[in-house]
Amino acid sequence: MPKSITIVPKMPKLEQKKRVAAYARVSSGKDAMLHSLSAQVSYYSDLIQNHPGWLYCGVYADEAKTGTKDGREEFQRLISDCRAGRVDMVITKSISRFARNTVTLLETVRELKSLGVDVYFEEQNIHTLSGDGELMMTILASYAQEESCSASENQKWRVREKFEAGIPWNGTVLGYRYENGIYVVKPDEAEIVREIFADYLSGLGIEAIMKKLNAEGRNTRNGNAWTRTCVRRVLGNYSYTGNLLLQTTFRENHITKKTLPNHGELPMYHAENTHEAIVSIEDYQAVQAEIARRTAKHNKTKCGPAKYPFTKLIVCGICGKSYRRKMTATGPVWICSTFSVYGKAVCPSKQIPEGALEKAAAEALGLDTFDADTLRNKVAIIRVEVGNTLVFRFKDGSERTIHWADRSRRESWTPEMREAARQKALMQRRDP
């Protein structure tokens, strides 16, 4: 009997689409630039989605980021997705859009190349996976970096030319408006500046001034709530005396763009009587002396801020900010930094006595008594929730919820409070 042979037809191999993403960037937050970024995103979205052999993986776009910095959030997210194997090809407008730092560019492209990810630069028509792609890219990237350096030097020359003429480069100062090359006083804002100087000289601290301004609904020049940094910046601004001290800071270089204080590396320019003063030179100098006095008083050692077992471990479940240690009349407590600065209206969290924290931590760790080393070794974070609830998240990923009890009234009273209450009771008996 003849054998029966069945031929199984070979199934056609389905063509796998190439996973393609795009990267876009603008180096300024101005409306025109943001409009350009929006146009780039739309263009690349349409280009990729309308290509029959491509699978759209998104457009990664950075706003107001320079090509010389590594801290671009969307760029870093793109690289992360490439490392995770989610992208096969990246399209970008040009080498200068991707990075102007030759070293950073080559390192990134070579890493992507090792992962099998192609980068296509439209303007230069270069695919990095091609044979001569890296050579051409290195040459063109060097030109892009030199262009960045040249632009940086031109900008510095323009700034210094203005400094030599006694003209400020930045006109955004509370109390003034920059008109025709000089500062012109804005009366309502100038009054805030004078009040800040007067309050500080009267004994108020920076945080107290900040709280006062926010409580009165008086915002910063940009319409934002006041912070300690904003108040400190006003107190240290020499331009309020009607004089200018220019080039007090400088950029490290055109690649890092890090701003550094000028300690003599470059010349400073002092211009006198350039505009109307808001505060007197005597008051300004008195404030600087008072700042130095208070700083010396509260920084007697150079050991840095004190660290405690719960430092950087406690997070507010309401606003997300960290808790910090604070000394009160009844002993140390841990308090949400938002509540401490802005009050209950912004974050209605509760302060936790340190003793209650230690007791809760010991219970969460299964210990008879609190042990700081065990806490640090095992606990990743402590989340403070409403209803006197603490959620301990351990480094192994597990969690445990502990409830803590408020102090009794008896525990909350200090000897001074008890003495005051006793004296009040005596007075009431004498004067019924």
Side-chain angles (χ1 to χ4, degrees), residues 57 177 182 184 265 314 363 368 380 409:
C57 292
R177 289 297 179 271
I182 63 170
V184 177
E265 293 85 352
I314 310 173
E363 183 180 347
D368 293 330
R409 183 165 181 171

Side-chain angles (χ1 to χ4, degrees), residues 110-346:
R110 283 170 182 166
E111 181 188 355
L112 295 180
K113 191 174 182 179
S114 70
L115 297 171
V117 178
D118 186 21
V119 182
Y120 176 59
F121 301 101
E122 280 193 302
E123 284 189 0
Q124 292 82 17
N125 192 26
I126 294 175
H127 281 275
T128 57
L129 290 185
S130 66
D132 59 352
E134 182 165 330
L135 174 61
M136 291 299 298
M137 183 185 60
T138 303
I139 295 170
L140 293 170
S142 297
Y143 278 112
Q145 182 167 321
E146 285 304 311
E147 180 188 358
S148 175
C149 180
S150 177
S152 175
E153 289 304 314
N154 288 338
Q155 180 81 329
K156 287 178 182 177
W157 179 83
R158 287 194 294 271
V159 171
R160 286 171 187 162
E161 188 179 47
K162 284 197 167 188
F163 285 169
E164 289 173 358
I167 301 172
W169 179 253
N170 184 2
T172 54
V173 180
L174 178 76
Y176 292 108
R177 289 297 179 271
Y178 194 53
E179 298 176 6
N180 300 319
I182 63 170
Y183 287 138
V184 177
V185 172
K186 194 169 188 300
D188 55 336
E189 292 182 1
E191 187 57 37
I192 296 176
V193 173
R194 294 188 188 98
E195 189 175 312
I196 290 173
F197 272 78
D199 284 344
Y200 193 78
L201 288 175
S202 72
L204 284 184
I206 288 176
E207 186 169 310
I209 295 172
M210 176 200 72
K211 289 180 177 179
K212 177 186 174 184
L213 291 169
N214 287 332
E216 293 172 351
R218 303 165 79 182
N219 295 330
T220 65
R221 187 184 191 279
N222 296 322
N224 300 320
W226 284 86
T227 63
R228 295 187 191 89
T229 302
C230 292
V231 176
R232 180 66 182 82
R233 190 179 293 125
V234 168
L235 292 170
N237 195 331
Y238 180 66
S239 63
Y240 290 130
T241 65
N243 308 301
L244 292 173
L245 184 61
L246 305 170
Q247 198 157 266
T248 56
T249 61
F250 67 97
R251 289 286 178 88
E252 184 178 41
N253 55 56
H254 72 286
I255 294 177
T256 64
K257 295 190 181 292
K258 184 179 180 181
T259 300
L260 301 173
N262 185 2
H263 294 306
E265 293 85 352
L266 294 172
M268 291 188 190
Y269 303 89
H270 185 252
E272 297 182 0
N273 303 316
T274 56
H275 53 280
E276 183 183 347
I278 292 178
V279 298
S280 68
I281 187 68
E282 292 78 17
D283 282 350
Y284 175 81
Q285 291 172 343
V287 163
Q288 307 320 302
E290 180 63 11
I291 289 173
R293 187 191 69 79
R294 295 187 194 183
T295 301
K297 178 182 177 182
H298 296 290
N299 295 279
K300 294 181 180 179
T301 66
K302 296 183 179 180
C303 299
K307 291 186 178 179
Y308 302 93
F310 295 101
T311 299
K312 295 185 178 180
L313 273 185
I314 310 173
V315 174
C316 179
I318 298 174
C319 71
K321 296 294 184 180
S322 297
Y323 267 57
R324 64 190 188 196
R325 194 175 191 263
K326 181 178 181 179
M327 284 301 300
T328 68
T330 56
V333 299
W334 287 80
I335 185 170
C336 169
S337 54
T338 302
F339 175 88
S340 178
V341 174
Y342 298 106
K344 196 171 185 178
V346 178

